[in-house]
Amino acid sequence: MQLATWNVNSLKVRLPQVLDWLAANPVDVLCLQELKQEDHAFPLEALAAAGYRAEFAGQKTYNGVAIVYRDTLTATEVIKDIPDYDDPQRRVIAASFGELRVVCAYFVNGEAVDSDKYTYKLTWLGKLERYLADSLARWPQLALLGDFNIAPDDRDVYDPAGWAGKVLCSESERAAFQRLVAMGLADSYRHFHADGGQYSWWDYRAAMFRRNLGLRIDHILLSPPLLARAQSCEIDRAPRKNERPSDHTPVVVTLG
DNA sequence: ATGGTTGGGTTCCAA
């Protein structure tokens, strides 16, 4: 079984690339972030023609998340948004596939550490943490996939000195990431790869992708029973080379 | 050096 995550930065623009990618990479579950569209515009028919169904939580202009899954699977116990947290931004969707619980999240970016958006980010991280603790108690086989907007350590940053203390790399954000790890959610990419210089996002500006100046901020975290089944976790850089690419590229985990 | 590019929406915001 394969699970993947991809921040598509507008599903409207990227739908052809998503369909191409699924044709070449027929994963079982694909978590999408930054749909940037309302639910009435979600491309259910195009995905159905490709053999996929989806659950989604969109909104106009910003945010928006979806779980796309093979039509041989059944999604149950779907939740949209973090329970008991009144947040107008559509950033979380979760669904069960048998015993497997999939949580797809678009973490707050935060803009800068002195921004109100950073305060929102830390609040949001706290709410997510509580929600995941509850979820893990109910679903031991839990995978958390998404754009975390956190580079867990300096290996995940092209210029660690330049990024030190900045948003995406700050101590508080990294501490929040480590609290997820302490909960039992392992960074599956790091489980298989110790090397640095492997990124999932590159700024559109200044030819950052061509120069491989990026950050690893898209992650797949696995609870212990799933980590035990994990066979590989890979970043697929190919879609970042497309014309009109997303600024993020997919991450894929293979479970036995 | 506070730049640069993209998407969505609209006279700029978010990333």
Side-chain angles (χ1 to χ4, degrees):
Chain A
M1 180 171 223
Q2 289 192 303
L3 313 176
T5 181
W6 191 6
N7 178 326
V8 290
N9 186 19
S10 168
L11 184 54
K12 182 183 173 187
V13 171
R14 235 63 71 187
L15 178 61
Q17 296 183 37
V18 170
L19 294 172
D20 286 350
W21 190 81
L22 282 173
N25 303 271
V27 297
D28 298 282
V29 176
L30 173 60
C31 294
L32 301 176
Q33 302 87 38
E34 283 206 90
L35 307 181
K36 296 186 171 181
Q37 64 179 12
E38 294 176 286
D39 288 346
H40 66 76
F42 193 88
L44 276 174
E45 293 82 3
L47 287 166
Y52 285 90
R53 297 190 225 269
E55 296 289 341
F56 43 93
Q59 68 183 96
K60 192 176 174 184
T61 312
Y62 305 118
N63 309 309
V65 284
I67 299 176
V68 175
Y69 57 96
R70 259 198 230 262
D71 60 13
T72 51
L73 300 173
T74 303
T76 61
E77 300 177 285
V78 176
I79 72 104
K80 300 172 184 181
D81 305 315
I82 297 172
D84 304 317
Y85 177 35
D86 185 20
D87 182 359
Q89 303 196 16
R90 314 308 302 275
R91 296 183 172 278
V92 173
I93 188 166
S96 294
F97 302 93
E99 295 298 303
L100 171 67
R101 186 66 171 169
V102 172
V103 181
C104 167
Y106 173 46
F107 287 45
V108 177
N109 175 288
E111 190 182 32
V113 293
D114 60 356
S115 163
D116 289 345
K117 292 176 198 161
Y118 183 77
T119 309
Y120 165 51
K121 183 174 195 171
L122 297 184
T123 301
W124 187 93
L125 285 167
K127 301 290 185 184
L128 180 75
E129 222 177 300
R130 190 191 61 183
Y131 167 57
L132 288 171
D134 292 347
S135 295
L136 277 164
R138 181 165 170 194
W139 295 286
Q141 298 183 45
L142 186 145
L144 171 65
L145 306 90
D147 173 2
F148 284 53
N149 274 315
I150 300 173
D153 69 52
D154 283 352
R155 288 173 294 177
D156 305 313
V157 184
Y158 68 89
D159 175 14
W163 279 83
K166 297 227 165 80
V167 74
L168 312 185
C169 300
S170 73
E171 265 186 48
S172 296
E173 292 163 86
R174 286 180 168 177
F177 186 91
Q178 288 309 319
R179 287 195 296 274
L180 298 178
V181 174
M183 249 183 239
L185 293 171
D187 179 347
S188 59
Y189 186 82
R190 275 286 165 248
H191 182 73
F192 292 105
H193 306 278
D195 50 324
Q198 304 301 316
Y199 310 126
S200 66
W201 168 84
W202 300 260
D203 198 300
Y204 283 124
R205 296 166 285 191
M208 299 292 265
F209 179 64
R210 182 180 57 74
R211 300 188 287 154
N212 192 33
L213 305 178
L215 302 179
R216 191 176 70 91
I217 55 177
D218 300 87
H219 306 297
I220 301 177
L221 271 50
L222 299 176
S223 68
L226 294 182
L227 187 69
R229 286 170 54 191
Q231 296 176 340
S232 69
C233 179
E234 302 297 335
I235 298 169
D236 181 5
R237 295 164 53 98
R240 191 63 177 77
K241 300 171 187 169
N242 290 346
E243 271 190 59
R244 284 191 93 186
S246 170
D247 45 352
H248 297 252
T249 211
V251 182
V252 185
V253 72
T254 303
L255 305 176

